[in-house]
Amino acid sequence: MRCDGVRSAADVLVAWRGESSRLHATGTVRSSRRNGRLFGKIACCAAKIETVPCERRQGVVHWLVLCALVAWTLPSARLRADDNDDARHAALIAAFQDVQIVPKNGAFWLVPGKFPELQWEQPYLVEMLWGEFPLQVRWFDAAGNEVTEATTPGRYGAYVEGTTRDGMVIRRSRTFFCMDPDVAAALMARSPFTLPPLPVPLPDVSQAAQEAHRKHLGDFVERAVLQAITRDDEAAVLAASLAEWDDRDAEAQRPPTPAVRNQEYHLAIKRKILGVEDAFPPL
């Protein structure tokens, strides 16, 4: 009777293997191939249980059942891990949509000469998603002509393109503004950005203390404003729009905003690069 009972347990194990195969085939249960092969070997051992001496069969079947339980639960744990990985990957992809190209020196304002080197704003995130891949940078002047260095003051655009190991092409574009060297030197020597009249609304700071630190406060404001302007791409977009303002804009009922002018500029460059200038009418 003892061996008959053990034999029945072995039959159940073999039947369990058959049922799990059906569930895997219909997609009811997802499993890795490694776990499937492991379960198959366990069931094969159970099918040959009669080759084991009667007095040892019960212990063997107990071990086989334990191994089968482990093999059955591993796929579900793996499935939860896969779901977590998918959610994490989707979150990284969403974050990557906002990752921009930035100059290594941090400045979007130029002086005539060589263009700055560019890099990803969050290189670790890009490498985590796509691995390392080179960036090809092409520069254009305000008229949309491709150039190799900044020669005159005004707007300049960078068109950046990279191809991942999977063959996906990623494109970005940025706007820079080139200043006249004399104007830049004068701006750095004497900034027009001055400290507002005292007292400045600072909590728990008396007017007497502010007056005593007037020069230090003024120097801080000048540096902070200049750094904010040079490191802000929107400031470059605004400066370029101011430089390109002409009589037609003044006479227009709704002159283009700096953002619209900037988008039209980069759209024209992209149409030129992709060879579709004549394929579609300009907006």
Side-chain angles (χ1 to χ4, degrees), residues 73-274:
T73 57
L74 280 178
S76 60
R78 177 59 186 170
L79 179 58
R80 289 193 296 271
D82 289 343
D83 290 343
N84 291 336
D85 289 344
D86 291 344
R88 181 170 179 269
H89 184 73
L92 291 176
I93 291 292
F96 174 73
Q97 304 303 315
D98 296 326
V99 176
Q100 289 290 346
I101 295 292
V102 295
K104 284 187 176 182
N105 62 8
F108 287 90
W109 289 58
L110 316 172
V111 292
K114 293 183 178 180
F115 292 115
E117 292 186 51
L118 304 182
Q119 65 180 9
W120 286 106
E121 184 179 23
Q122 300 181 39
Y124 60 89
L125 174 59
V126 177
E127 184 175 354
M128 187 185 304
L129 281 171
W130 318 115
E132 293 185 0
F133 59 94
L135 296 175
Q136 288 78 41
V137 184
R138 299 171 65 177
W139 292 89
F140 297 84
D141 62 13
N145 301 312
E146 189 165 2
V147 294
T148 56
E149 64 177 16
T151 56
T152 58
R155 182 194 300 266
Y156 286 88
Y159 178 86
V160 186
E161 188 174 277
T163 303
T164 67
R165 291 175 296 186
D166 298 332
M168 183 176 66
V169 179
I170 299 175
R171 301 181 178 92
R172 294 288 192 274
S173 59
R174 300 312 298 265
T175 296
F176 293 77
F177 184 75
C178 180
M179 295 184 63
D180 181 280
D182 295 335
V183 175
L187 185 62
M188 296 302 296
R190 185 176 182 180
S191 171
F193 310 107
T194 59
L195 185 69
L198 297 177
V200 178
L202 297 175
D204 301 326
V205 179
S206 65
Q207 182 172 355
Q210 294 185 28
E211 290 289 354
H213 294 81
R214 175 183 290 273
K215 181 180 184 305
H216 304 290
L217 289 171
D219 292 343
F220 172 78
V221 169
E222 290 182 7
R223 289 195 304 270
V225 173
L226 285 175
Q227 289 179 7
I229 289 177
T230 58
R231 295 178 180 273
D232 191 344
D233 62 323
E234 292 185 2
V237 170
L238 175 59
S241 181
L242 291 170
E244 294 166 358
W245 182 272
D246 56 25
D247 294 338
R248 289 177 300 176
D249 294 323
E251 296 172 358
Q253 184 177 1
R254 298 182 64 182
T257 65
V260 169
R261 196 191 299 269
N262 189 60
Q263 292 169 2
E264 290 177 344
Y265 168 76
H266 285 289
L267 179 60
I269 290 176
K270 190 172 183 179
R271 286 163 58 94
K272 182 177 182 179
I273 291 175
L274 298 180

Side-chain angles (χ1 to χ4, degrees), residues 45-96:
C45 292
K48 299 177 181 179
I49 195 67
E50 290 188 355
T51 62
V52 180
C54 182
E55 63 273 9
R56 297 177 56 188
R57 289 181 192 176
Q58 186 174 13
V60 171
V61 170
H62 286 170
W63 276 108
L64 289 176
V65 170
L66 178 61
C67 293
L69 287 172
V70 173
W72 179 265
T73 57
L74 280 178
S76 60
R78 177 59 186 170
L79 179 58
R80 289 193 296 271
D82 289 343
D83 290 343
N84 291 336
D85 289 344
D86 291 344
R88 181 170 179 269
H89 184 73
L92 291 176
I93 291 292
F96 174 73

